[in-house]
Amino acid sequence: MLNFGISGAVTKYLSEHISKNESNIVGDLLSTSLWIHVLIGAIGGLAIFMSAEQLVINVFKIPSEIHEASILALELASAAFFFTMINSWAGAVATGLHRLDIYNYIMMLYGTLTLLGSLILVLQGYGLVGVSVANLVATCVVLFVYLVVLRRRGVRLEKGF
């Protein structure tokens, strides 16, 4: 929803253009859709970061004794939002390539890293900030894995395939 359905469109049109051997269009589709995801991620991430204090105090009405940790958690979440948008693009590309196996393995990795990271950091006493850190780290790891796997599959932004 937050990417306005663009990921679904990437999946659909990538699949269609590849099946028709229209590699000249694929490169444009990949680069344009990536930049749209980056822009949405940057705007959304910046909005979350800039409004973190107001969200904690006025919207969520979090008790004052945990304001600092809550603001930090939201600031970390703003960075995770940015990377999540790029991951959304990468997942759409993998799906458009009919590589649901890649998409599913990477989503399993993300879920595992987020769960284990959150559990370990919460048990170490980092609480909500630990959960945010685990989510941010998992999101960055998943992005790296997507980029490596898609590159090996021949995805090139400048030329398509």
Side-chain angles (χ1 to χ4, degrees):
M1 182 177 98
L2 291 176
N3 67 18
F4 308 104
I6 295 169
S7 293
V10 169
T11 298
K12 177 189 184 308
Y13 290 112
L14 179 61
S15 182
E16 284 180 9
H17 292 299
I18 288 174
S19 69
K20 295 176 185 175
N21 275 339
E22 298 173 334
S23 60
N24 56 330
I25 296 173
V26 169
D28 290 340
L29 172 67
L30 292 174
S31 62
T32 301
S33 60
L34 173 61
W35 283 111
I36 291 170
H37 279 84
V38 167
L39 183 63
I40 293 170
I43 291 170
L46 188 59
I48 294 167
F49 186 85
M50 298 297 289
S51 63
E53 186 174 356
Q54 293 303 314
L55 288 170
V56 165
I57 295 168
N58 298 322
V59 176
F60 300 128
K61 301 191 185 307
I62 293 175
S64 59
E65 57 271 5
I66 58 171
H67 275 183
E68 190 175 315
S70 300
I71 291 168
L72 178 57
L74 274 175
E75 290 171 347
L76 292 166
S78 71
F81 179 83
F82 173 75
F83 292 115
T84 296
M85 290 306 298
I86 301 170
N87 283 338
S88 177
W89 171 83
V93 172
T95 306
L97 294 172
H98 300 271
R99 292 305 308 261
L100 295 174
D101 57 332
I102 292 171
Y103 177 79
N104 286 328
Y105 289 138
I106 291 176
M107 287 298 94
M108 287 186 333
L109 173 66
Y110 173 74
T112 302
L113 289 174
T114 303
L115 178 66
L116 290 178
S118 295
L119 181 62
I120 290 167
L121 291 172
V122 166
L123 290 174
Q124 293 296 315
Y126 292 101
L128 182 60
V129 172
V131 172
S132 291
V133 167
N135 185 47
L136 178 57
V137 168
T139 303
C140 291
V141 168
V142 163
L143 177 58
F144 176 76
V145 170
Y146 263 131
L147 295 177
V148 168
V149 169
L150 290 175
R151 189 116 179 127
R152 287 188 180 162
R153 282 283 303 150
V155 174
R156 305 279 187 270
L157 292 178
E158 63 278 357
K159 296 178 187 170
F161 289 88

